[in-house]
């Protein structure tokens, strides 16, 4: 018998994304566009982190709209393939149930050490709520509830993932194997995209300067404008070199969208100015995003099928979430009710 036929169960991947800002072309090139392909090797849970968004008290109608939009974006990115599950966090109430249990297995000192809490409480000084403080425990619940093996994360979430591991290991140490301890997912590393306005800084969806980042929902006009106003240098020569951060970044984006090498780009744009290159870049970005944007618009025009997809996602996610939550509840000694 072929030994691969009795291979180990497929590993699970989890990633949640907050609905409060639209991903940038940096998120797309560095992470999102690689996520769909992961369904070949893993069972992936992708969710809209609407509960996490509450920590900054968003406007209710805006949160509802943005959550729907983010859900549609995840579908339009092609993430619902294979065994993947795409869902909205608040549609699976077990996240909150497990969150409370895990809160009792997280030390105050551990949560207080999280640098993101320190940063966020400084930037939202008028609303330093308990949610902001216990955010990493909810994140641990999000991950552990699906028994995720891997979590694709940016550097700023590393500390939180370590806390999730610590909580899992602590709980397992007390009660026996209950949770999978998650590891960061280091996959194919997409290029790092820098801000169009300050190419020494990473492009970021929370950049207050809207010209610094291209969002994946930007219209062709907006993309052309942002590319045109991207910071370059006074050399007027399209080549990749130390000290040409702006041009290097534009070449990186161009290459990521077209698959062309830097050598090819340099050859094609030899003797041409930045104006031509920026227009070609805008065209390449528009083309790269076109299929995604078309699918997104199609989904947004069909709210009934979006609702249906959300219900299916919630049901599939809840099946996995209930199993883990029941296990944790029993282990800590909660008297389990039998509900019909
Ligand atoms: P925020 O400003 O809210 O932190 P962000 O743009 O940094 O937003 P994250 O939510 O922190 O986005 O990261 C989401 C994913 O996108 C991560 O996997 C991260 O590595 C990747 N990513 C973020 N910014 C870039 C970038 N400029 N280039 C490439 N990948 C990026
Ligand atoms: Mg970040």
């Amino acid at each position: 018998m072929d030994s691969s036929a009795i291979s180990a169960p497929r590993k699970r991947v989890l990633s949640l994304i907050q609905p409060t800002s639209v991903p940038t072309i940096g998120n797309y090139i560095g992470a999102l566009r690689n996520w769909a392909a992961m369904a070949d090797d893993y069972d992936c849970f992708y969710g809209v982190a609407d509960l996490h968004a509450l920590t900054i008290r968003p406007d209710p109608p805006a949160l509802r709209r943005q959550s729907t939009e983010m859900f549609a974006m995840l579908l339009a990115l092609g993430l619902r393939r294979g065994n993947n599950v795409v869902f909205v966090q608040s549609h699976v109430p077990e996240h909150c149930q497990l969150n409370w249990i895990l809160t009792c297995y997280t030390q105050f000192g551990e949560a207080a050490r999280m640098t993101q809490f320190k940063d966020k409480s400084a930037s939202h000084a008028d609303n330093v709520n308990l949610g902001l403080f216990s955010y990493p425990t909810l994140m641990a619940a999000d991950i552990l509830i699906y028994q995720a093996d891997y979590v694709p994360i940016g550097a700023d979430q590393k500390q939180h993932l370590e806390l999730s591991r610590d909580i899992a290991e602590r709980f397992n140490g007390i009660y026996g194997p209950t949770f999978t301890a998650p590891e960061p997912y280091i996959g194919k590393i997409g290029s790092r995209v820098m801000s169009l306005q300050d190419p020494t800084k990473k492009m970021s969806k929370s950049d207050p300067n809207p010209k610094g980042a291209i969002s994946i929902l930007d219209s062709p006009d907006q993309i052309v404008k942002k590319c045109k106003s991207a910071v370059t240098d006074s050399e007027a020569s399209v080549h990749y070199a130390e000290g040409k951060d702006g041009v290097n970044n534009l070449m990186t984006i161009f290459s990521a969208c077209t698959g062309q090498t830097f050598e090819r780009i340099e050859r094609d744009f030899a003797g041409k100015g930045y104006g031509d290159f920026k227009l070609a870049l805008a065209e390449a970005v528009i083309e790269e995003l076109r299929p995604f944007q078309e699918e997104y618009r199609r989904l947004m025009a069909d709210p009934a099928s979006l609702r249906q997809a959300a219900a299916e996602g919630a049901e599939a996610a809840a099946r996995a979430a209930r199993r883990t939550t029941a296990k944790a509840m029993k282990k800590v000694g909660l008297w389990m009710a039998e509900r019909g």
Side-chain angles (χ1 to χ4, degrees):
M1 194 169 112
D2 177 5
S3 65
S4 64
I6 43 169
S7 53
R10 281 160 60 92
K11 300 272 189 195
R12 283 189 177 173
V13 169
L14 170 114
S15 187
L16 297 193
I17 184 156
Q18 285 209 32
T20 38
S21 44
V22 178
T24 67
I25 187 90
N27 302 131
Y28 176 84
I29 290 168
L32 297 174
R33 83 172 172 177
N34 308 320
W35 285 5
M38 285 169 67
D40 295 339
D41 303 313
Y42 304 100
D43 293 347
C44 308
F45 289 79
Y46 292 117
V48 177
D50 56 346
L51 295 172
H52 285 284
L54 292 180
T55 52
I56 54 165
R57 202 180 300 169
D59 173 51
L63 177 61
R64 230 174 334 263
R65 179 176 48 75
Q66 290 170 324
S67 299
T68 315
E69 289 168 353
M70 185 55 80
F71 184 72
M73 282 185 246
L74 296 183
L75 296 185
L77 285 163
L79 299 185
R80 206 163 67 141
R81 303 176 47 215
N83 296 331
N84 286 4
V85 177
V86 180
F87 66 102
V88 176
Q89 183 188 25
S90 68
H91 296 178
V92 185
E94 284 77 9
H95 284 245
C96 293
Q97 175 89 358
L98 186 62
N99 172 50
W100 175 253
I101 295 176
L102 298 185
T103 298
C104 301
Y105 293 83
T106 309
Q107 296 304 303
F108 185 88
E110 283 178 310
R113 275 200 295 279
M114 296 294 120
T115 54
Q116 201 178 88
F117 170 68
K118 293 180 200 163
D119 296 346
K120 287 211 171 163
S121 48
S123 60
H124 297 96
D126 57 337
N127 183 18
V128 184
N129 58 72
L130 286 186
L132 216 49
F133 187 69
S134 64
Y135 177 111
T137 318
L138 179 57
M139 181 171 151
D142 300 332
I143 298 167
L144 303 186
I145 209 165
Y146 298 111
Q147 306 287 354
D149 299 280
Y150 299 112
V151 184
I153 46 161
D156 51 354
Q157 292 291 338
K158 212 165 155 255
Q159 203 186 20
H160 291 165
L161 188 64
E162 274 158 21
L163 180 65
S164 299
R165 276 186 74 85
D166 290 345
I167 295 172
E169 281 162 3
R170 176 173 309 141
F171 196 100
N172 292 348
I174 303 172
Y175 300 107
T178 310
F179 300 118
T180 303
E183 287 173 37
Y185 175 78
I186 318 281
K188 265 186 264 133
I189 308 216
S191 312
R192 194 171 148 86
V193 176
M194 311 306 280
S195 158
L196 299 181
Q197 290 300 313
D198 178 358
T200 61
K201 270 187 10 210
K202 176 182 97 60
M203 184 181 284
S204 167
K205 56 182 148 53
S206 56
D207 188 340
N209 180 353
K211 288 160 87 182
I214 295 174
S215 115
I216 60 171
L217 291 181
D218 276 348
S219 67
D221 271 3
Q222 287 169 309
I223 293 173
V224 169
K225 281 204 190 89
K226 287 179 184 178
C227 288
K228 275 190 181 164
S229 69
V231 168
T232 46
D233 52 56
S234 54
E235 199 186 26
S237 159
V238 179
H239 69 274
Y240 197 97
E242 183 132 358
K244 288 175 72 75
D245 295 335
V247 172
N248 295 350
N249 185 40
L250 301 188
M251 287 178 67
T252 300
I253 302 172
F254 191 88
S255 167
C257 291
T258 59
Q260 291 177 11
T261 60
F262 289 159
E263 293 74 25
R264 163 87 194 271
I265 300 169
E266 287 172 3
R267 223 172 330 116
D268 287 353
F269 289 91
K272 296 189 182 147
Y274 292 149
D276 286 347
F277 179 55
K278 285 174 168 180
L279 281 181
L281 172 68
E283 201 52 43
V285 172
I286 292 165
E287 283 311 311
E288 171 67 17
L289 293 177
R290 188 189 300 280
F292 158 76
Q293 292 194 349
E294 282 174 1
E295 178 62 4
Y296 171 77
R297 281 194 293 270
R298 192 189 67 74
L299 288 162
M300 288 303 288
D302 186 0
S305 81
L306 263 188
R307 274 197 302 275
Q308 172 71 20
E312 286 166 14
E315 192 40 52
R319 269 197 298 279
R322 278 187 210 123
R323 214 170 299 135
T324 305
T325 307
K327 200 161 142 190
M329 288 171 71
K330 278 196 201 110
K331 296 239 173 157
V332 298
L334 294 171
W335 182 26
M336 311 282 284
E338 307 228 352
R339 284 189 300 198

